[in-house]
Amino acid sequence: MILENVLRKLGVVLMAAAVATVTAVGASAKVEGDTVYLGAAISLTGKYSTNGAHTRKGYDLAVEQINAAGGVTVDGVAYKLGIVYYDDESTPARGAQLAERLIQQDGVQFILGPYSSGLTRAMAPITEKYGIPMVEANGASISLFQEGYKYLFAVLSTTEQYLQGAVALAAETAGEGQTLRVGLAMENDPFSQDVRAGVIADAERLGMRIVIDDKLPPELNDMSATLAKVRALRPDLLVVSGHAKGAALAIRQIADSRIDIPMLALTHCDAAQVIEKFAEKAEFALCASQWAPGLSYSDELFGSARDFADLFEATFDYAPPYQSAESAAAVMVFADAFERAGSFDPAAVRDALAATDMMTFYGGINFDDAGRNIAKPMVLFQIQDGEYRVVYPSEASEAELRHPTPRWSER
Amino acid sequence: MFENLQLLIDYPSLGVDLIANGLMIGAIFALAAFGMALVWGVLGIINIAQGEFVMLGGFVALTAAGLGVPPLLTIPLAAIALFILGWSLYRLVIFRVVDRDLFVSLLATFGLSIILQQLSNEIFGADVRTLETGLGTMVLFDGQIVLAEIKLVSFVTALTVGLVLWAFLKRARLGQAIRATAQNARAARILGIDTDRVYAATYALNAALCGAAGSLVVMAWTIHPYIGLPYTVRSFLVVIVAGLGNIVAVITAGLGLGALENLAGFILGAEYQIAFVFVLMVILLVGRNFWLRRKREYLE
């Protein structure tokens, strides 16, 4: 009897202690000393590990730069930024779990997004549930912004805009009264299907005809069936989207099979490193990008887009992919919102985020009601003489579009 | 679907082109399937890590080419490297699960496949990679049929390897020992065959064949650490169709699968290509159950 009583009391005491610890951690961990912590679950292993690493480098570079410049000043006190990282192993379930962990156990109250739309989609309901703001830089799927989330903000252009520039360019080059024929080879995943929807909407608006509409399987290892259609139907514009493997396979097999396409537009060229891998086989291809070092944007922290690129290259020994640039911009957005909110209260920061209107080396940032950045257009590169040259939008372009792509027999 | 079919009727050369390209990738399926048939027949193990061996062969070829080895020479190099890896994996893992329940070996090789995937992701990165051979493209019949020369190389290599393998099993001492062990391991042991060595050699040979296939894949297509599964599934399908002991049947089934799959991808749409493979597999498994001859499979 006595033992039972003691045990029961001990249990109560232990439980109280546990609760006290959890709440203590929850209350103090978001700001430790002079450092405010952001949380990020990104793909350090698994199939997105390369892009996860690009994302992390972007975050780290921005944090370093902001801290070197004196950190963020909130309510007259200067704070440094810090990031709590976890590895989401490229799986959405793990990402959701880690979001929960960051918020519940680590007491982090501000989340930086993971890599990919799939993972962002897994984490968004969690941050929303706890009312924790998430600024994300790598989840472009339009469907993320149709859920009515109030705490989700994206600095990048959404998916449906990715290749609309190619459609616009194709329309510009077409002569009067010509009906352009468009071929689509898009991976059967949310990202590429959103890209597809954007292309189809624009193509139909401009009176083009869709002659091929293939959905590539995620475990894509050969495209010859689709390319046979291209050879037979000769579309004026072929649009391919299937992450790095789609871009690499498309360039490899179009060149190997000598298929003539007047205009080829792709996503993920730089992630697939098509210039390094295929050299002249990749010439003339158009590539969608969120950002380019040649753009004329600038800010006080990093300087111009070119300055960011130089700093990144000096730090990490390779040119920054756009994933790193947009990730750095996400950190800048948080820093800006903290200063304007004047506190680290998640709700106040959320409202400050919603009112964001700033210029960065990455482009303008201004969120609409759904949390999308509407101040920055997509960029389209063309591979010219072994280099990416911006050809769209025309006001930011560095080079003239080379059109049409010469036939293989004439190259 | 109907417009695709119509297209095929309007342009018959398109069908030939599709089949030709399908045969090329089918040859790779056959190459990966030889080893699966051997391992299944001799060790009684369905090697789920088959596609990962193919993937590793590709990375070995890439690494070798990076060190200055001419691309085509990476084919034997990848085979040798994978032979050594296969032997080591046998000594480390596989010998513990031979003669055990099928589930145990399935789990073991499934585990191996995940470990190999993650390790290569760690070592080589998740990027999509490809190797330039400098070979050109053949344009036949006034551009009706276009074939990359590297695909032709892989086709010829697969057929040659098949032939050599067949001769090896018939003539070489080790080949005969492999066949004997497949027929009756206990009897083979009584007659003085070191079956454990035969098992190790068979598993290593399988890895070597996959390695060669992988080096061809990286030259004609692309690889990344997660590309293994499609090759495992296809080798499995080829072995189900061809049976365990017949190399000619493996070649035929591999080529046939490649051609059929490419046609299906064209007619049904690329998104149904792998679905088609799975449906085919289910039909074949059910069909085989119906017509299963109650006869022991053996290596001829």
Side-chain angles (χ1 to χ4, degrees):
Chain A
M1 270 310 256
I2 298 167
L3 186 69
E4 209 171 274
N5 259 331
V6 170
L7 279 180
R8 190 174 299 150
K9 276 180 187 157
L10 195 64
V12 171
V13 169
L14 279 178
M15 235 154 76
V19 168
T21 330
V22 168
T23 38
V25 167
S28 67
K30 64 172 182 173
V31 183
E32 267 172 20
D34 65 343
T35 307
V36 56
Y37 280 95
L38 311 173
I42 53 178
S43 307
L44 301 175
T45 57
K47 61 178 173 178
Y48 297 139
S49 56
T50 312
N51 284 315
H54 294 330
T55 305
R56 181 179 184 155
K57 284 170 184 158
Y59 289 158
D60 286 347
L61 194 61
V63 165
E64 225 170 81
Q65 199 74 1
I66 290 169
N67 288 347
V72 290
T73 312
V74 174
D75 219 10
V77 186
Y79 292 90
K80 297 237 180 302
L81 292 182
I83 301 180
V84 181
Y85 281 113
Y86 285 113
D87 174 17
D88 62 31
E89 298 158 23
S90 305
T91 49
R94 187 90 182 111
Q97 221 174 22
L98 289 172
E100 192 98 36
R101 184 194 170 118
L102 280 165
I103 298 166
Q104 287 288 73
Q105 290 184 26
D106 301 335
V108 163
Q109 309 222 314
F110 311 103
I111 301 276
L112 288 163
Y115 177 79
S116 87
S117 297
L119 278 145
T120 311
R121 181 169 306 153
M123 288 173 68
I126 314 285
T127 49
E128 195 70 21
K129 180 172 84 181
Y130 292 108
I132 299 294
M134 165 150 78
V135 177
E136 61 107 342
N138 294 283
S141 176
I142 180 78
S143 57
L144 275 168
F145 308 97
Q146 293 164 339
E147 303 280 341
Y149 291 140
K150 287 277 160 270
Y151 287 83
L152 177 69
F153 299 92
V155 301
L156 74 180
S157 304
T158 40
T159 31
E160 83 287 357
Q161 300 169 38
Y162 265 64
L163 287 171
Q164 285 178 329
V167 178
L169 276 180
E172 274 174 34
T173 56
E176 223 19 65
Q178 203 185 337
T179 306
L180 287 181
R181 296 145 53 83
V182 183
L184 304 166
M186 314 296 243
E187 186 174 330
N188 208 356
D189 77 334
F191 170 82
S192 297
Q193 289 304 304
D194 285 350
V195 178
R196 170 178 171 272
V199 169
I200 289 184
D202 266 22
E204 285 178 348
R205 189 168 52 75
L206 292 164
M208 302 180 186
R209 210 152 68 81
I210 311 290
V211 290
I212 300 169
D213 186 7
D214 263 16
K215 297 193 178 77
L216 306 173
E219 58 287 290
L220 181 69
N221 60 351
D222 181 62
M223 277 182 67
S224 16
T226 303
L227 293 179
K229 273 179 214 170
V230 174
R231 187 194 297 288
L233 294 168
R234 298 178 182 282
D236 300 291
L237 166 66
L238 178 67
V239 182
V240 179
S241 173
H243 295 272
K245 62 184 182 300
L249 257 186
I251 298 224
R252 157 117 259 162
Q253 291 198 283
I254 286 170
D256 278 355
S257 313
R258 309 228 147 196
I259 293 174
D260 293 311
I261 304 161
M263 190 185 274
L264 169 69
L266 308 155
T267 61
H268 294 93
C269 297
D270 43 357
Q273 296 184 302
V274 294
I275 293 179
E276 293 87 335
K277 282 177 189 151
F278 300 106
E280 69 270 23
K281 285 180 180 173
E283 275 296 297
F284 301 99
L286 290 166
C287 310
S289 179
Q290 290 279 355
W291 174 81
L295 291 167
S296 55
Y297 308 129
S298 67
D299 60 50
E300 281 177 8
L301 187 67
F302 282 108
S304 68
R306 177 63 60 193
D307 293 339
F308 173 82
D310 291 343
L311 175 67
F312 188 94
E313 189 149 7
T315 315
F316 299 112
D317 273 342
Y318 66 99
Y322 70 71
Q323 286 84 355
S324 299
E326 60 201 21
S327 301
V331 179
M332 293 175 70
V333 167
F334 257 131
D336 175 67
F338 289 150
E339 294 195 336
R340 279 185 295 109
S343 91
F344 291 120
D345 173 49
V349 172
R350 187 251 155 226
D351 292 339
L353 283 170
T356 298
D357 186 3
M358 64 192 287
M359 183 42 96
T360 68
F361 75 94
Y362 166 75
I365 294 171
N366 182 5
F367 302 112
D368 69 0
D369 290 342
R372 286 178 298 182
N373 181 11
I374 43 173
K376 179 197 79 75
M378 280 298 291
V379 173
L380 212 53
F381 290 117
Q382 184 169 40
I383 300 175
Q384 298 182 350
D385 308 318
E387 269 180 61
Y388 292 118
R389 312 291 294 276
V390 177
V391 294
Y392 181 91
S394 33
E395 61 272 16
S397 68
E398 311 168 88
E400 282 283 305
L401 175 73
R402 294 186 182 165
H403 183 81
T405 303
R407 303 176 68 82
W408 288 101
S409 52
E410 289 155 16
R411 287 207 199 177
Chain B
M1 176 182 157
F2 291 108
E3 62 263 38
N4 293 332
L5 215 51
Q6 188 60 44
L7 207 61
L8 212 51
I9 295 163
D10 292 345
Y11 304 94
S13 69
L14 210 56
V16 182
D17 186 72
L18 278 170
I19 290 172
N21 271 297
L23 290 178
M24 302 293 137
I25 196 166
I28 300 279
F29 298 158
L31 198 51
F34 291 144
M36 182 175 256
L38 269 181
V39 167
W40 197 343
V42 178
L43 286 75
I45 285 176
I46 299 172
N47 186 37
I48 306 286
Q50 198 77 357
E52 276 64 40
F53 288 162
V54 174
M55 174 268 290
L56 282 176
F59 277 116
V60 171
L62 264 177
T63 313
L67 296 172
V69 179
L72 289 183
L73 272 188
T74 63
I75 304 172
L77 264 180
I80 293 167
L82 266 283
F83 187 90
I84 297 168
L85 179 78
W87 194 288
S88 325
L89 285 179
Y90 178 82
R91 289 281 171 234
L92 272 172
V93 181
I94 304 297
F95 85 96
R96 293 169 212 275
V97 297
V98 179
D99 303 330
R100 301 278 290 277
D101 191 65
L102 184 63
F103 259 118
V104 179
S105 61
L106 273 179
L107 276 180
T109 52
F110 182 56
L112 266 187
S113 79
I114 293 177
I115 291 170
L116 293 179
Q117 253 177 37
Q118 297 297 340
L119 272 183
S120 18
N121 190 7
E122 239 356 85
I123 299 169
F124 304 107
D127 289 345
V128 180
R129 312 281 283 275
T130 179
L131 180 58
E132 282 293 318
T133 52
L135 292 176
T137 303
M138 291 192 328
V139 182
L140 305 170
F141 307 110
D142 206 20
Q144 305 277 329
I145 296 170
V146 181
L147 275 183
E149 278 164 14
I150 179 62
K151 287 191 184 174
L152 216 61
V153 170
S154 62
F155 184 74
V156 173
T157 309
L159 291 196
T160 317
V161 168
L163 210 68
V164 171
L165 190 64
W166 178 77
F168 167 78
L169 288 176
K170 279 268 188 244
R171 302 255 178 269
R173 286 298 282 176
L174 183 58
Q176 289 169 343
I178 288 177
R179 279 163 54 215
T181 310
Q183 238 176 59
N184 190 330
R186 198 158 155 256
R189 258 195 298 275
I190 292 168
L191 291 172
I193 292 174
D194 182 354
T195 51
D196 189 48
R197 226 183 114 245
V198 167
Y199 285 157
T202 309
Y203 199 75
L205 186 63
N206 165 41
L209 290 167
C210 291
S215 66
L216 291 166
V217 168
V218 74
M219 288 187 270
W221 291 275
T222 56
I223 58 157
H224 52 88
Y226 302 95
I227 205 162
L229 186 66
Y231 292 98
T232 304
V233 171
R234 267 106 169 174
S235 338
F236 185 61
L237 181 69
V238 169
V239 176
I240 296 170
V241 178
L244 301 183
N246 192 336
I247 285 177
V248 179
V250 168
I251 295 182
T252 323
L255 296 182
L257 175 66
L260 260 181
E261 200 186 280
N262 217 22
L263 274 177
F266 183 88
I267 296 169
L268 304 172
E271 71 265 40
Y272 294 113
Q273 193 162 328
I274 193 131
F276 170 81
V277 175
F278 275 104
V279 170
L280 202 64
M281 192 158 92
V282 170
I283 294 174
L284 282 168
L285 279 172
V286 172
R288 264 181 91 82
N289 239 348
F290 271 118
W291 297 294
L292 192 65
R293 297 157 300 164
R294 302 225 167 270
K295 206 168 92 182
R296 191 188 290 269
E297 294 278 0
Y298 57 90
L299 291 169
E300 296 175 314

